[in-house]
């Protein structure tokens, strides 16, 4: 008997364009795009309507981000949106994956 894997995700994920970047501001929430001051840059690994998966340097993630934290993120050409850090996984020495869920 072969068991089928059930996809429990509520939103379709899609691969980003190559070299698509995200910028993250961990400190105070900006009022608009003009007050956005990014503190972390990341490579976008996957996207959906509800959030994104990013690759960052571990030293940036471990010092500035924790699951449950709120931050502001600008992915590619989209405007700045508020997000919540859902998870952080160390994948290699110096490299971490971060899952963000868009709040707005």
């Amino acid at each position: 008997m072969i068991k089928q894997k059930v996809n429990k995700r509520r939103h379709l994920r899609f691969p980003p364009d190559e070299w698509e970047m995200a910028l993250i501001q961990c400190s105070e929430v900006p009022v608009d795009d003009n007050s956005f001051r990014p503190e972390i840059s990341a490579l976008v690994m996957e996207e959906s309507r509800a959030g994104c998966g990013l690759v960052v340097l571990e030293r940036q993630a471990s010092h500035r981000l924790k699951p449950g934290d709120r931050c502001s993120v600008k992915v590619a050409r989209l405007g700045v949106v508020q997000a919540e850090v859902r998870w952080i996984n160390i994948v290699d020495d110096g490299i971490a994956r971060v899952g963000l869920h868009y709040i707005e």
Side-chain angles (χ1 to χ4, degrees), residues 42-74:
L43 181 64
V44 181
M45 293 296 295
E46 62 184 10
E47 293 181 273
S48 79
R49 261 189 22 222
C52 60
L54 308 173
V55 174
V56 299
L57 294 174
E58 178 188 358
R59 69 177 182 263
Q60 290 181 321
S62 63
H63 286 91
R64 296 188 174 175
L65 299 172
K66 293 181 181 35
D69 283 356
R70 298 271 173 117
C71 62
S72 301
V73 62
K74 180 175 176 64

Side-chain angles (χ1 to χ4, degrees), residues 7-25:
N7 187 352
K8 295 181 181 180
R9 297 179 193 253
R10 289 183 280 167
H11 300 282
L12 178 65
R13 297 199 189 294
F14 52 91
D17 293 334
E18 285 187 35
W19 307 111
E20 190 165 303
M21 300 296 295
L23 300 173
I24 304 168
Q25 180 176 338

Side-chain angles (χ1 to χ4, degrees), residues 32-43:
D32 56 31
D33 287 6
N34 295 328
S35 61
F36 180 65
R37 303 287 182 260
E39 301 162 300
I40 297 174
S41 60
L43 181 64

